[in-house]
Amino acid sequence: MDDLTLIAVVSIITAGFTTAVGTMFPAIGEGRALSKALSSIAQQPDSSSTITRTLFVGLAMIESTAIYCFVLSMILIFANPFWNHFIQ
Amino acid sequence: MDDLTLIAVVSIITAGFTTAVGTMFPAIGEGRALSKALSSIAQQPDSSSTITRTLFVGLAMIESTAIYCFVLSMILIFANPFWNHFIQ
Amino acid sequence: MDDLTLIAVVSIITAGFTTAVGTMFPAIGEGRALSKALSSIAQQPDSSSTITRTLFVGLAMIESTAIYCFVLSMILIFANPFWNHFIQ
Amino acid sequence: MDDLTLIAVVSIITAGFTTAVGTMFPAIGEGRALSKALSSIAQQPDSSSTITRTLFVGLAMIESTAIYCFVLSMILIFANPFWNHFIQ
Amino acid sequence: MDDLTLIAVVSIITAGFTTAVGTMFPAIGEGRALSKALSSIAQQPDSSSTITRTLFVGLAMIESTAIYCFVLSMILIFANPFWNHFIQ
Amino acid sequence: MDDLTLIAVVSIITAGFTTAVGTMFPAIGEGRALSKALSSIAQQPDSSSTITRTLFVGLAMIESTAIYCFVLSMILIFANPFWNHFIQ
Amino acid sequence: MDDLTLIAVVSIITAGFTTAVGTMFPAIGEGRALSKALSSIAQQPDSSSTITRTLFVGLAMIESTAIYCFVLSMILIFANPFWNHFIQ
Amino acid sequence: MDDLTLIAVVSIITAGFTTAVGTMFPAIGEGRALSKALSSIAQQPDSSSTITRTLFVGLAMIESTAIYCFVLSMILIFANPFWNHFIQ
Amino acid sequence: MDDLTLIAVVSIITAGFTTAVGTMFPAIGEGRALSKALSSIAQQPDSSSTITRTLFVGLAMIESTAIYCFVLSMILIFANPFWNHFIQ
Amino acid sequence: MDDLTLIAVVSIITAGFTTAVGTMFPAIGEGRALSKALSSIAQQPDSSSTITRTLFVGLAMIESTAIYCFVLSMILIFANPFWNHFIQ
Amino acid sequence: MDDLTLIAVVSIITAGFTTAVGTMFPAIGEGRALSKALSSIAQQPDSSSTITRTLFVGLAMIESTAIYCFVLSMILIFANPFWNHFIQ
Amino acid sequence: MDDLTLIAVVSIITAGFTTAVGTMFPAIGEGRALSKALSSIAQQPDSSSTITRTLFVGLAMIESTAIYCFVLSMILIFANPFWNHFIQ
Amino acid sequence: MDDLTLIAVVSIITAGFTTAVGTMFPAIGEGRALSKALSSIAQQPDSSSTITRTLFVGLAMIESTAIYCFVLSMILIFANPFWNHFIQ
Amino acid sequence: MDDLTLIAVVSIITAGFTTAVGTMFPAIGEGRALSKALSSIAQQPDSSSTITRTLFVGLAMIESTAIYCFVLSMILIFANPFWNHFIQ
């Protein structure tokens, strides 16, 4: 197994692991926030616009942690500086 | 085991792992949100349209984390840049 | 163990793992949503049609994450591009 | 250990693992839904027909995830394409 | 260790694992459903016949997932196609 | 280590594992059902005969999953087809 | 390490593991049932005879799963068919 | 490492493991039952004799599972049939 | 590494493990019982003598499981029959 | 595998692991805070501006722990001092 | 690595492990008891002397399990019989 | 692999692990504190200034544990005394 | 690797492990006790002196388990009898 | 790998592990205490000074366990007696 293969193998595994693990908990967090938002709307329909707005800003913030992981995976697959170094 | 085989093997394992693990928690999160949505409708039937709309937007957002994983798996199986590099 | 065997072995294991693990949590999520739907119907029988409709749309959404995994397994067993490459 | 044996061994292990793990959580999910159905009937006997109907449709949906796993195991044992390839 | 022994060994281990793991959670699910059934009868004695009937249908459904595992184990021990292939 | 020894060793380990693991959760499930039965009797003494009857039928059902495991262990120790094959 | 030693070693380990693991959860289950029985007696002293009777029948049922494991261990230590086979 | 040493080593490890693991959960179960007994006495001082009696019978039953493990350990250390066989 | 060393090493490890693991859960169980005792005294000061007496008998019972483990460790360190056999 | 490759491999794995693991719990924490914020708005609509402001300051603070991890990963991939040392 | 070193190494590791693991749960148990004592005092200030006395007796009992572990560690480090045997 | 490489590799892994693991629980702790602060403001708007002030002091204290880890990582990467020793 | 190095290595690892693991749960226990103390003061301000005094005595008791671990680590690093034996 | 390198490697790993693991639970404990303090202030604004004072004394006590770990890490990195011994 030469070096290039090793870099490729490791990049694939790390990309998959990072995306898989890193998107787990944002999904939980978003599910929790969403479910509480729904019961808050049911409890106080008059504030539904404030609730929905705060919800979406917050979801975006949580989603950002998942996106960090996805971005890192994409870097590893399509713009990997170590791979580029060895390929030259 | 030559390099090409190794890349293939690793891609298969990573694709399976990523999809399997990465879809676990979105399913939990969606189940939680859905169940709270149903009890909110039961509690406040008049707001059912607002609740349902917020629910589906939120579910889509949670689903997106599962889709990141599925997309990554598809890339690894059908558009793997490392595989393409070695195949040439 | 030649390369072809290895690809086959890895495909079998990954297919089984992906289906087994990937269908675990959707089942939990669906069970939770279903159980809350039933208690919501008991609490508010008049909204049972709205509840049931939202339930089934939501279940389909959760089921979709299980289906991603099952589809991936089927691809690995019956339409595996790496297997096809080595078989030629 | 020749290749045929390896395929057989891996198929057996994967079939067992998939069925064992894949039927765990549907059983939990069904138990949860069933238990909530029973308490809902006790709370609202008049809706028992609606509840029972929704329950069985939902149970079937949850059961489907267990069946995916069982089907996959059966494919691995009795209709394994890799095994068939090597046997020829 | 020749191939026949290996198949035997793997079949024994897998059969035991599948039965042991696969019957764990149905037992939990049934226990949960049963316990809720008993408290529902205590709360609403008039519906005890409906509750008992729904309970047993549901238990049968949960039991089915345990039976999948037991059936698979029996197939592996007494009707194993791979074993039969090598024995011939 | 010849083949016969290996079969024996594996049978012993699997029998122990299967019984140990497979009886864990039925015990939990039965404990939960029993505890709820007792509080139901305390809450509704008039239904104690119905509750007790349902309890014992349900316990038998849960116990059955433990018995699957114990039966499998006994088969492995005293009526193991693979052992019989090699002994001949 | 000859075969006889191996059988002995494996039997010892399996016996210990089976007893240790297999008695864990019955203890939990019995503790739970017992604790609920005590609070039920405190809540409804008039039914204490019914509660105590049901409790002890149920405890015996739960204890049975622990006994399966202990019996299996005793078989492995004092009446092990594989050991007897090799000793002859 | 000759056979006798191996038997000794394995017996020591198994004895320790069995006692350590096997006494964990009875301690939890007894703690739970005891704590509920105390709150039941506080709630219904008139039934304290019935509660205490039931408590001690139950604790003895739970303790029995811990004793199974301790007995097994003592057998392994002081009356080990395999050790005796090899020592002769 | 001769046999005597091995016995010594294994005895040390097992003694430490047994004491460490075996005293974990009694501590939890006692903490739970103690905490409930305190709140029971606060709730029903008149029964404080009954509660305290039952508490200490129960704590002694729970402590006994920890003592089994400590005794076993002491046996392994200071009265180990296997060590004595080899030392002679 | 020469030293340069090793540094590259380790950097890739560590970067992925750090981002994946380090963003998990901030996502949970943010989800919890967000969900409580929504229910607080529903409960006290008049304080919604104070709540929202405190929420976003707090979220930024939690997000900072995720950013520590992301920054560390970026350092490892694009400004790794060890890599730079070996590359010269 | 000669025998003396091995004994030393194993004693160090076991001493550390035993103290670290064995003091974990007493700390939890004491924290739980202490916290309940404080709320009991707040609820029933008149019984504070009884509560405090019972608390400290109980804490001492729980602390005893941690002390078993610490004592064992000290024995292993400063009065190890196996070490003494080899040193002579 | 020479010594310098080893030090580099270990420093990278440890830095990543420390930051990833060490920032997990502060994030949870801060999320919990923040969420409780928000509900306290909703419950007692008049104390919002006291609550907010206490919150930020406390958050800083929790954040400090995450910063210990981040500082340690930075030391390992940019001011590692062992690396400096070997580099000279 | 000579013996002295091994003793040093093992002492370092054990010291770190013992301190890290052994201080985890005291921190949890103290946090729980402290949080309950604060709510008790809020509930019964008149008893705040009794509560605070009991709290600090109890915290000291819990802290003692953490100190056992820290002391052991210091012994291993600065007053290790095995190290001293080999150094002479 | 000579001895000096080994000591360095082990010190780095242990320092990182100790800080990372040892600061986890204090963060949780502090978060719990802080969150309860905030709700106590909201519930009883008049006692806010007592609560805040008790809170900070308690936080310092919890923080001390994290500091033990950080101190140990610093000792291992900057004042390691074993390293100093070998360096001379």
Side-chain angles (χ1 to χ4, degrees):
Chain A
M1 189 166 64
D2 67 349
D3 292 358
L4 206 53
T5 318
L6 187 67
I7 298 283
V9 161
V10 163
S11 298
I12 291 171
I13 292 173
T14 306
F17 174 85
T18 306
T19 302
V21 171
T23 58
M24 287 191 325
F25 286 78
I28 290 283
E30 294 179 4
R32 191 177 291 178
L34 179 55
S35 71
K36 195 52 80 72
L38 295 169
S39 69
S40 299
I41 291 173
Q43 181 193 334
Q44 191 70 270
D46 297 339
S47 306
S48 73
S49 69
T50 317
I51 291 172
T52 318
R53 198 182 50 234
T54 311
L55 173 70
F56 287 126
V57 173
L59 283 187
M61 201 133 183
I62 300 177
E63 189 79 11
S64 75
T65 65
I67 288 176
Y68 290 166
C69 296
F70 193 60
V71 162
L72 186 68
S73 297
M74 288 300 109
I75 288 173
L76 289 183
I77 294 186
F78 293 113
N80 193 328
F82 303 107
W83 170 263
N84 293 339
H85 178 268
F86 281 98
I87 226 118
Q88 293 166 357
Chain B
M1 189 165 65
D2 67 349
D3 292 357
L4 207 53
T5 318
L6 187 67
I7 298 283
V9 161
V10 164
S11 298
I12 291 171
I13 292 173
T14 306
F17 174 84
T18 306
T19 301
V21 171
T23 59
M24 287 192 326
F25 286 78
I28 290 283
E30 293 179 4
R32 190 176 291 179
L34 179 55
S35 70
K36 195 52 80 75
L38 295 169
S39 68
S40 300
I41 291 173
Q43 181 193 335
Q44 191 69 271
D46 298 340
S47 306
S48 74
S49 69
T50 317
I51 291 172
T52 318
R53 198 181 52 233
T54 311
L55 173 69
F56 288 126
V57 173
L59 284 187
M61 202 133 183
I62 300 177
E63 189 80 10
S64 75
T65 65
I67 288 176
Y68 291 166
C69 296
F70 193 60
V71 162
L72 186 69
S73 298
M74 288 300 110
I75 288 173
L76 288 183
I77 294 186
F78 293 112
N80 192 328
F82 303 107
W83 171 263
N84 293 340
H85 178 268
F86 281 98
I87 224 116
Q88 293 166 358
Chain C
M1 190 165 66
D2 67 348
D3 292 358
L4 206 53
T5 318
L6 187 67
I7 298 283
V9 162
V10 163
S11 298
I12 291 171
I13 292 173
T14 306
F17 174 84
T18 306
T19 302
V21 171
T23 59
M24 288 192 325
F25 286 78
I28 290 283
E30 293 179 5
R32 189 176 293 179
L34 180 55
S35 71
K36 195 52 80 74
L38 295 168
S39 69
S40 299
I41 291 173
Q43 180 193 336
Q44 191 70 270
D46 298 339
S47 307
S48 74
S49 69
T50 318
I51 292 171
T52 318
R53 199 182 52 234
T54 310
L55 173 70
F56 288 126
V57 172
L59 284 188
M61 202 132 182
I62 300 177
E63 188 80 11
S64 75
T65 65
I67 289 176
Y68 291 167
C69 295
F70 193 60
V71 161
L72 186 68
S73 298
M74 287 301 110
I75 288 174
L76 288 182
I77 294 185
F78 294 112
N80 192 328
F82 303 107
W83 171 263
N84 294 340
H85 178 268
F86 281 97
I87 224 117
Q88 293 165 359
Chain D
M1 191 164 65
D2 67 348
D3 292 357
L4 207 52
T5 317
L6 186 68
I7 298 283
V9 162
V10 164
S11 298
I12 292 171
I13 292 173
T14 306
F17 174 84
T18 306
T19 302
V21 171
T23 59
M24 287 192 326
F25 285 79
I28 290 283
E30 294 180 4
R32 190 176 291 180
L34 179 54
S35 71
K36 196 51 81 76
L38 294 169
S39 69
S40 300
I41 291 172
Q43 180 192 336
Q44 190 70 270
D46 298 339
S47 307
S48 74
S49 68
T50 318
I51 291 171
T52 319
R53 199 181 51 235
T54 311
L55 173 70
F56 288 127
V57 173
L59 284 187
M61 202 132 183
I62 300 176
E63 188 80 11
S64 75
T65 65
I67 289 176
Y68 291 166
C69 295
F70 193 61
V71 162
L72 185 68
S73 298
M74 288 301 109
I75 289 174
L76 288 183
I77 294 185
F78 294 111
N80 192 327
F82 303 108
W83 171 262
N84 293 340
H85 178 268
F86 281 97
I87 224 120
Q88 293 165 358
Chain E
M1 191 165 65
D2 67 347
D3 292 358
L4 207 52
T5 318
L6 186 68
I7 298 282
V9 162
V10 163
S11 298
I12 291 172
I13 292 173
T14 306
F17 174 84
T18 306
T19 302
V21 171
T23 60
M24 287 192 325
F25 285 79
I28 290 282
E30 294 179 5
R32 190 176 293 181
L34 179 55
S35 71
K36 196 51 84 74
L38 294 168
S39 69
S40 300
I41 291 173
Q43 181 193 337
Q44 191 70 269
D46 298 339
S47 306
S48 74
S49 68
T50 318
I51 291 172
T52 319
R53 199 180 51 235
T54 311
L55 173 69
F56 288 126
V57 173
L59 284 188
M61 202 132 183
I62 299 176
E63 188 80 11
S64 75
T65 65
I67 289 176
Y68 291 167
C69 295
F70 192 61
V71 162
L72 186 69
S73 298
M74 288 301 109
I75 288 174
L76 289 183
I77 293 185
F78 293 112
N80 192 327
F82 302 108
W83 171 262
N84 294 340
H85 178 268
F86 281 96
I87 224 116
Q88 292 166 358
Chain F
M1 191 166 64
D2 69 347
D3 291 359
L4 206 52
T5 318
L6 187 68
I7 298 282
V9 162
V10 163
S11 298
I12 291 172
I13 292 173
T14 306
F17 174 84
T18 306
T19 302
V21 171
T23 60
M24 286 192 327
F25 285 79
I28 289 283
E30 294 179 5
R32 190 177 293 181
L34 179 55
S35 71
K36 196 51 85 71
L38 294 169
S39 69
S40 300
I41 290 173
Q43 180 192 338
Q44 191 70 269
D46 299 339
S47 307
S48 74
S49 68
T50 317
I51 291 171
T52 319
R53 200 181 52 234
T54 311
L55 173 70
F56 288 126
V57 173
L59 284 188
M61 202 132 183
I62 299 176
E63 188 79 12
S64 74
T65 65
I67 289 177
Y68 291 167
C69 295
F70 192 60
V71 162
L72 186 68
S73 297
M74 288 301 109
I75 288 174
L76 289 182
I77 293 184
F78 293 112
N80 191 327
F82 302 109
W83 171 262
N84 294 340
H85 179 268
F86 281 97
I87 225 120
Q88 292 166 358
Chain G
M1 191 166 62
D2 69 347
D3 292 358
L4 206 53
T5 317
L6 187 68
I7 298 282
V9 162
V10 162
S11 299
I12 291 171
I13 292 173
T14 307
F17 174 85
T18 306
T19 302
V21 171
T23 60
M24 287 192 326
F25 286 78
I28 289 282
E30 294 179 5
R32 191 177 292 181
L34 180 55
S35 72
K36 196 51 84 70
L38 294 169
S39 69
S40 300
I41 290 173
Q43 180 193 337
Q44 191 70 269
D46 298 339
S47 306
S48 75
S49 68
T50 317
I51 291 172
T52 319
R53 201 181 50 235
T54 311
L55 173 70
F56 288 126
V57 173
L59 284 188
M61 203 132 183
I62 299 176
E63 188 79 13
S64 74
T65 64
I67 288 176
Y68 290 167
C69 295
F70 193 60
V71 162
L72 186 68
S73 297
M74 288 300 108
I75 288 174
L76 289 182
I77 293 184
F78 293 112
N80 191 328
F82 302 109
W83 171 262
N84 294 340
H85 179 266
F86 280 97
I87 225 117
Q88 292 165 357
Chain H
M1 190 166 63
D2 69 348
D3 291 359
L4 206 53
T5 317
L6 187 67
I7 298 283
V9 162
V10 163
S11 298
I12 291 171
I13 292 173
T14 307
F17 173 85
T18 306
T19 302
V21 171
T23 60
M24 287 192 326
F25 286 79
I28 289 283
E30 293 180 5
R32 191 178 291 180
L34 180 55
S35 71
K36 197 50 85 70
L38 294 169
S39 69
S40 300
I41 290 173
Q43 180 191 339
Q44 192 69 269
D46 298 338
S47 306
S48 75
S49 69
T50 316
I51 290 171
T52 319
R53 202 182 48 235
T54 310
L55 173 69
F56 288 125
V57 174
L59 284 188
M61 202 131 183
I62 299 176
E63 188 79 13
S64 75
T65 64
I67 289 176
Y68 290 167
C69 295
F70 192 61
V71 162
L72 185 68
S73 297
M74 289 300 108
I75 289 175
L76 289 182
I77 293 185
F78 293 111
N80 192 326
F82 302 110
W83 171 263
N84 294 340
H85 179 267
F86 280 98
I87 224 117
Q88 293 166 355
Chain I
M1 189 166 63
D2 69 348
D3 291 358
L4 207 53
T5 317
L6 187 67
I7 298 283
V9 162
V10 163
S11 298
I12 291 171
I13 292 173
T14 306
F17 174 84
T18 306
T19 302
V21 171
T23 60
M24 288 192 325
F25 286 79
I28 289 283
E30 294 180 5
R32 191 178 292 180
L34 179 56
S35 71
K36 197 50 85 71
L38 294 169
S39 69
S40 300
I41 290 173
Q43 180 192 338
Q44 192 68 270
D46 298 339
S47 305
S48 74
S49 69
T50 317
I51 290 172
T52 318
R53 202 182 47 236
T54 310
L55 172 70
F56 288 126
V57 173
L59 284 188
M61 202 132 183
I62 299 175
E63 188 79 12
S64 74
T65 64
I67 289 176
Y68 291 167
C69 295
F70 193 60
V71 162
L72 186 68
S73 297
M74 289 300 109
I75 289 175
L76 288 182
I77 292 184
F78 293 111
N80 192 327
F82 302 109
W83 171 264
N84 293 339
H85 178 267
F86 281 97
I87 225 120
Q88 294 166 355
Chain J
M1 189 166 65
D2 67 349
D3 292 358
L4 207 54
T5 318
L6 187 68
I7 298 284
V9 161
V10 163
S11 298
I12 290 171
I13 292 173
T14 306
F17 174 85
T18 306
T19 302
V21 171
T23 59
M24 288 191 324
F25 286 78
I28 290 283
E30 294 179 4
R32 192 178 291 178
L34 178 55
S35 71
K36 195 52 81 72
L38 295 168
S39 68
S40 300
I41 291 173
Q43 181 193 334
Q44 191 70 270
D46 297 339
S47 306
S48 74
S49 69
T50 317
I51 291 172
T52 318
R53 199 182 50 234
T54 311
L55 173 70
F56 287 126
V57 173
L59 284 187
M61 201 133 183
I62 300 177
E63 188 79 11
S64 75
T65 65
I67 288 176
Y68 291 166
C69 296
F70 192 60
V71 162
L72 186 68
S73 297
M74 289 300 109
I75 288 174
L76 289 183
I77 294 185
F78 293 113
N80 193 327
F82 303 107
W83 171 263
N84 294 339
H85 178 268
F86 281 99
I87 225 118
Q88 293 166 356
Chain K
M1 190 166 63
D2 69 348
D3 291 359
L4 207 54
T5 317
L6 187 67
I7 298 283
V9 161
V10 162
S11 298
I12 291 171
I13 292 172
T14 306
F17 173 84
T18 306
T19 302
V21 171
T23 59
M24 289 192 324
F25 286 78
I28 289 283
E30 294 180 4
R32 191 177 292 179
L34 179 56
S35 71
K36 198 49 85 70
L38 294 170
S39 68
S40 300
I41 289 173
Q43 181 192 338
Q44 191 69 271
D46 298 339
S47 305
S48 74
S49 69
T50 317
I51 290 172
T52 318
R53 202 182 47 235
T54 310
L55 172 69
F56 288 126
V57 174
L59 285 187
M61 202 133 183
I62 299 176
E63 188 80 12
S64 75
T65 64
I67 288 176
Y68 291 167
C69 296
F70 192 61
V71 163
L72 186 68
S73 297
M74 290 299 109
I75 289 174
L76 289 182
I77 292 184
F78 293 112
N80 192 327
F82 303 109
W83 170 263
N84 294 339
H85 179 268
F86 280 98
I87 226 121
Q88 294 167 354
Chain L
M1 189 166 65
D2 68 349
D3 292 358
L4 207 54
T5 318
L6 187 67
I7 299 283
V9 161
V10 163
S11 299
I12 291 171
I13 292 173
T14 306
F17 173 84
T18 305
T19 302
V21 172
T23 59
M24 289 192 323
F25 286 78
I28 289 283
E30 294 179 4
R32 192 177 291 179
L34 179 55
S35 71
K36 195 52 81 73
L38 295 168
S39 68
S40 300
I41 290 173
Q43 182 193 334
Q44 191 70 270
D46 298 339
S47 305
S48 74
S49 69
T50 317
I51 291 172
T52 319
R53 200 182 49 235
T54 311
L55 173 69
F56 288 126
V57 173
L59 284 188
M61 201 132 184
I62 300 177
E63 188 79 11
S64 75
T65 65
I67 288 176
Y68 291 167
C69 295
F70 192 61
V71 162
L72 186 68
S73 297
M74 289 299 109
I75 289 174
L76 289 182
I77 294 185
F78 294 113
N80 192 327
F82 303 109
W83 171 263
N84 293 339
H85 179 268
F86 281 98
I87 226 117
Q88 294 166 353
Chain M
M1 189 165 64
D2 69 348
D3 291 359
L4 207 54
T5 318
L6 187 67
I7 298 284
V9 161
V10 163
S11 298
I12 291 171
I13 292 173
T14 306
F17 174 85
T18 306
T19 302
V21 172
T23 58
M24 289 192 323
F25 286 77
I28 290 282
E30 294 179 5
R32 191 177 292 180
L34 179 55
S35 71
K36 196 51 83 73
L38 295 169
S39 68
S40 300
I41 290 173
Q43 181 192 337
Q44 192 69 271
D46 298 339
S47 305
S48 74
S49 69
T50 317
I51 291 172
T52 318
R53 201 183 48 237
T54 311
L55 172 69
F56 288 126
V57 174
L59 285 188
M61 202 133 183
I62 300 176
E63 188 80 11
S64 75
T65 65
I67 289 176
Y68 291 166
C69 295
F70 192 61
V71 162
L72 186 68
S73 297
M74 289 300 109
I75 289 174
L76 289 182
I77 292 185
F78 294 112
N80 192 327
F82 302 109
W83 171 263
N84 293 340
H85 178 269
F86 280 98
I87 225 119
Q88 295 166 352
Chain N
M1 189 166 65
D2 68 349
D3 291 359
L4 207 54
T5 318
L6 187 67
I7 299 284
V9 161
V10 163
S11 298
I12 291 170
I13 293 173
T14 307
F17 174 84
T18 306
T19 302
V21 172
T23 58
M24 288 192 323
F25 286 78
I28 290 283
E30 294 179 4
R32 192 178 291 179
L34 179 55
S35 70
K36 195 52 81 73
L38 294 169
S39 69
S40 300
I41 290 173
Q43 182 192 335
Q44 191 70 270
D46 297 339
S47 305
S48 74
S49 69
T50 317
I51 291 172
T52 318
R53 201 182 48 236
T54 311
L55 173 70
F56 288 126
V57 173
L59 284 188
M61 202 133 183
I62 300 176
E63 188 80 11
S64 75
T65 65
I67 288 176
Y68 292 166
C69 295
F70 192 61
V71 162
L72 186 68
S73 298
M74 289 300 109
I75 289 174
L76 289 182
I77 293 185
F78 293 112
N80 193 326
F82 303 109
W83 171 262
N84 293 339
H85 178 268
F86 280 97
I87 226 118
Q88 294 167 352

